[in-house]
């Protein structure tokens, strides 16, 4: 049946737009056909509702064209598919007799952080807390490091260098660390600033000959610097920050830095500074997956007191895959439309087509194989052959992973690489695990993607 189902998918693809096919049919699987009724497994309720509502005639026609004898089909949510564990910074656990809060970080109950006019001028936004930070597979390593820092600043993970794309949640997390440290230790000196603020302050101190400016940054227990990538080309500021870092580190003060890339990937960054910033723990925050995006939307709606149903959440999570800021922006747009028109968010999304994603440049399997081979100084023949040398096998797995991302099915991948179905599945499983654990591999894959997109 798997081959027949692939034929069905190919038929459907020829009758709908690429955007609709990728949105609604990319993760639909054939389950069974009891009594002439085909059962299709879907990843979530939203997709199931949409394909029944919009594409039933197309699906029935494709089933019959593929010689599958059926009177009808129905959808069922795939409860066996792997789900990412998603939680908040503070989870609610049902006990035998009552409901208890189990913090990820064991934060003692204290008075809330003081209001803006009462607290020290530390640059932190008090709204950013672990209790409203959604934790998923894309950021669990970063949150684990944050736990240790909150419990004991300046010890195990010092410095902490967080990197990842714009809008992935870095600023929320690093400010949450500062806020949680202050809640536990109100007397600690915590300072949050962007690297642009550091640069402007440094330039102003040089211009106005402010001798004690450096002490303002060094007389702290925790220094949190955001948007570090903008230090590019600012040589004098880099030197000043280098000395500031050394002074803090020498006294076991915690340093936390966030950037959109590793220091070594920022042009003209001093090699000594780059080395120091990554000697503690560099951790990347990745694009959140579907389940995490759903949880983020529910958390955002809760923060603003909005009532949002699950189909609306799943619609947004399925269609906005760029970053958290875009996700929040689309949520606000849907809520605004619902308020202006006096209807529910569900009624708004029922009348919307899938949100347009950035157009993907089509590349052929041969182009991907050639580009991966060239990147690793191998030949395309090596990747398509049977060699089990480590470097060839790793490059082959990367090519398979990239082509699967580009929409090739496992049977198609098997034909391209002359491998059976189980070998392809094993390759994809290995890559999924490696990508989560190896940030160098992720950077290599991003570089290859970039090279493919510019061809």
């Amino acid at each position: 049946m798997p081959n027949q189902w692939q034929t069905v998918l190919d038929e459907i693809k020829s009758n709908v737009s690429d955007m609709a096919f990728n949105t609604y049919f990319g993760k639909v699987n054939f389950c069974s056909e009891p009594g002439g009724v085909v059962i299709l497994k879907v990843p979530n309720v939203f997709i199931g509702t949409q394909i029944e509502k919009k594409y039933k005639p197309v699906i029935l026609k494709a089933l019959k064209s593929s010689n599958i004898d059926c009177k009808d089909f129905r959808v069922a949510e795939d409860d066996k598919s792997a789900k990412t564990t998603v939680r908040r910074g503070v989870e609610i656990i049902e006990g035998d007799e009552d409901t208890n809060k189990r913090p990820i970080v064991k934060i003692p109950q204290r008075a809330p952080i003081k209001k803006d006019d009462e607290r020290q001028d530390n640059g932190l936004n008090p709204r950013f807390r672990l209790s409203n930070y959604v934790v998923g597979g894309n950021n669990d390593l970063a949150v684990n490091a944050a736990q240790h820092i909150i419990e004991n600043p300046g010890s195990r993970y010092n410095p902490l260098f967080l990197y990842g794309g714009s809008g992935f949640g870095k600023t929320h997390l690093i400010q949450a660390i500062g806020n949680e440290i202050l809640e536990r230790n109100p007397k600690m000196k915590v300072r949050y600033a962007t690297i642009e603020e550091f640069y402007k302050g440094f330039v102003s101190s040089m211009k106005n000959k402010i001798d004690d400016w450096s002490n303002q940054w060094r007389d702290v227990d925790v220094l949190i610097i955001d948007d570090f990538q903008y230090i590019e080309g600012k040589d004098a500021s880099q030197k000043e920050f280098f000395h500031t870092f050394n002074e803090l580190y020498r006294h076991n003060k915690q340093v936390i830095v966030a950037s959109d890339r590793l220091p070594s990937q920022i042009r003209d960054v001093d090699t000594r500074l780059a080395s120091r910033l990554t000697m503690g723990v560099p951790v990347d925050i990745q694009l959140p997956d579907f389940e995490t995006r759903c949880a983020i939307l529910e958390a955002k709606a809760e923060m603003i007191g909005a009532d949002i149903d699950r189909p609306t959440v799943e619609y947004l999570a399925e269609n906005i895959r760029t970053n958290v800021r875009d996700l929040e922006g689309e949520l606000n747009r849907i809520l605004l439309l619902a308020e202006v028109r006096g209807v529910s968010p569900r009624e708004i999304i029922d009348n919307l087509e899938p949100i347009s994603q950035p157009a993907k440049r089509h590349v052929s399997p041969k182009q991907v194989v050639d580009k991966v081979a060239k990147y690793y100084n191998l030949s395309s023949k090596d990747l398509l052959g049977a060699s089990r040398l480590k470097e060839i096998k790793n490059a082959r797995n990367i090519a398979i992973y990239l082509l699967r991302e580009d929409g090739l099915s496992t049977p198609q991948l098997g034909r391209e690489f002359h491998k059976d179905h189980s070998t392809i599945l094993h390759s994809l499983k290995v890559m999924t695990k490696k990508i989560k654990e190896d940030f160098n591999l992720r950077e290599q894959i991003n570089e290859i993607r970039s090279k493919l997109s510019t061809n």
Side-chain angles (χ1 to χ4, degrees):
M1 184 61 201
N3 290 336
Q4 272 187 299
W5 177 240
Q6 185 57 50
T7 303
V8 173
L9 289 175
D10 291 343
E11 177 69 19
I12 292 171
K13 191 171 185 178
S14 67
N15 286 283
V16 301
S17 68
D18 287 344
M19 183 176 68
F21 182 84
N22 293 332
T23 300
Y24 298 124
F25 296 98
K27 296 180 181 178
V28 175
N29 294 301
F30 173 85
C31 179
S32 61
E33 44 184 328
V37 177
V38 167
I39 298 175
L40 302 179
K41 288 285 188 176
V42 296
N44 56 67
V45 175
F46 167 72
I47 286 182
T49 301
Q50 295 301 308
I51 65 173
E52 281 188 311
K53 179 180 176 181
K54 297 181 177 180
Y55 300 105
K56 187 169 186 175
V58 173
I59 294 172
L60 287 173
K61 180 183 176 183
L63 287 166
K64 290 176 182 177
S65 297
S66 303
N67 298 318
I68 298 176
D69 186 20
C70 67
K71 301 173 184 176
D72 202 354
F73 77 89
R74 66 181 181 86
V75 297
E77 192 170 0
D78 190 356
D79 53 1
K80 292 183 180 179
S81 60
K83 298 289 184 182
T84 303
T85 300
V86 179
R87 59 195 188 277
R88 302 282 188 89
V90 176
E91 293 178 319
I92 304 300
I93 306 298
E94 294 293 337
D96 292 334
E97 298 179 351
D98 58 358
T99 300
N100 302 302
K101 285 187 176 180
R102 177 167 64 86
I104 291 176
V105 183
K106 298 175 182 176
I107 302 169
Q109 296 299 313
R110 294 180 183 269
I113 291 178
K114 293 178 180 181
K115 295 179 181 178
D116 289 348
D117 57 350
E118 298 175 323
R119 65 191 176 95
Q120 57 177 306
D121 182 19
N122 52 37
L124 294 169
N125 184 336
R127 292 182 62 215
F128 291 134
R129 305 302 296 269
L130 281 184
S131 58
N132 55 33
Y133 188 74
V134 175
V135 186
N138 64 308
N139 58 17
D140 53 355
L141 293 177
V143 173
N144 183 63
Q147 296 173 14
H148 291 282
I149 290 171
I150 291 168
E151 291 172 353
N152 196 4
S155 58
R156 184 173 176 184
Y157 295 117
N158 192 26
L160 172 66
F161 191 93
L162 291 181
Y163 69 103
S166 176
F168 283 17
K170 301 185 300 297
T171 296
H172 187 145
L173 181 57
I174 61 177
Q175 291 211 41
I177 294 172
N179 282 322
E180 303 298 353
I181 288 174
L182 281 177
E183 183 161 336
R184 298 188 82 186
N185 306 285
K187 293 183 179 180
M188 291 192 80
K189 294 181 180 179
V190 178
R191 181 162 189 177
Y192 165 88
T194 65
I195 199 66
E196 191 69 17
E197 291 174 284
F198 182 90
Y199 163 71
K200 288 180 178 178
F202 174 67
V203 171
S204 177
S205 72
M206 297 289 288
K207 181 179 178 180
N208 299 306
K209 299 181 180 180
I210 303 174
D211 295 330
D212 66 340
W213 179 83
S214 297
N215 294 331
Q216 300 174 21
W217 298 89
R218 300 177 189 183
D219 185 26
V220 296
D221 299 300
V222 181
L223 177 61
I224 304 172
I225 295 293
D226 207 352
D227 293 328
F228 182 75
Q229 68 272 13
Y230 294 119
I231 204 168
E232 181 178 275
K234 300 176 175 69
D235 295 341
S237 295
Q238 287 186 40
K239 290 177 182 177
E240 179 63 27
F241 187 76
F242 175 79
H243 294 306
T244 296
F245 172 85
N246 284 343
E247 185 69 14
L248 291 170
Y249 185 79
R250 189 165 65 89
H251 290 91
N252 296 318
K253 304 302 183 181
Q254 180 69 50
V255 179
I256 301 169
V257 179
S259 174
D260 67 357
R261 72 203 88 153
L262 287 165
S264 59
Q265 297 169 334
I266 301 173
R267 185 169 56 87
D268 298 329
V269 166
D270 183 271
T271 54
R272 296 176 305 162
L273 178 57
S275 175
R276 286 202 180 23
L277 289 175
T278 54
M279 69 183 181
V281 55
V283 181
D284 74 327
I285 295 181
Q286 303 169 47
L287 182 67
D289 57 20
F290 174 78
E291 287 80 14
T292 307
R293 294 197 297 273
C294 286
I296 289 170
L297 285 164
E298 289 170 344
K300 296 292 184 184
E302 183 180 303
M303 285 177 67
I304 61 177
D307 187 19
I308 183 169
D309 57 69
R310 186 68 185 182
T312 302
V313 167
E314 292 186 351
Y315 169 84
L316 293 171
E318 190 67 43
N319 286 282
I320 304 296
R321 307 184 190 189
T322 48
N323 59 57
V324 176
R325 291 193 189 114
D326 290 347
L327 200 62
E328 185 174 5
E330 191 61 24
L331 169 65
N332 290 334
R333 188 179 79 88
I334 295 294
L335 292 174
L336 178 61
L337 285 172
E339 182 179 351
V340 168
R341 297 177 185 176
V343 297
S344 69
R346 176 69 179 274
E347 290 176 88
I348 296 295
I349 66 165
D350 279 346
N351 294 307
L352 292 177
E353 288 298 317
I355 299 168
S356 178
Q357 299 292 324
K360 289 180 68 175
R361 183 182 178 89
H362 176 72
V363 290
S364 68
K366 183 180 185 305
Q367 287 175 302
V368 172
V369 171
D370 289 348
K371 190 65 69 175
V372 172
K374 183 178 180 181
Y375 184 86
Y376 291 104
N377 295 317
L378 300 168
S379 71
S380 300
K381 189 176 180 180
D382 289 332
L383 268 62
L384 297 174
S387 174
R388 296 188 63 79
L389 288 174
K390 184 177 180 181
E391 59 269 24
I392 294 176
K393 188 177 178 181
N394 288 342
R396 182 187 299 130
N397 285 344
I398 289 170
I400 289 171
Y401 176 82
L402 287 168
L403 285 169
R404 184 71 182 95
E405 266 196 337
D406 203 41
L408 260 68
S409 66
T410 50
Q412 288 172 315
L413 289 169
R415 289 192 292 271
E416 291 290 338
F417 290 89
H418 313 291
K419 305 294 180 186
D420 59 35
H421 185 256
S422 60
T423 302
I424 294 296
L425 288 178
H426 177 71
S427 173
L428 293 170
K429 183 178 179 181
V430 167
M431 284 299 299
T432 300
K433 186 174 186 294
K434 281 186 175 181
I435 285 172
K436 182 173 177 58
E437 298 172 349
D438 187 344
F439 65 83
N440 286 321
L441 175 62
R442 286 194 292 272
E443 296 304 322
Q444 292 171 21
I445 289 175
N446 286 336
E447 284 184 38
I448 295 171
R449 283 196 192 106
S450 177
K451 292 177 184 296
L452 286 166
S453 67
T454 56
N455 272 0

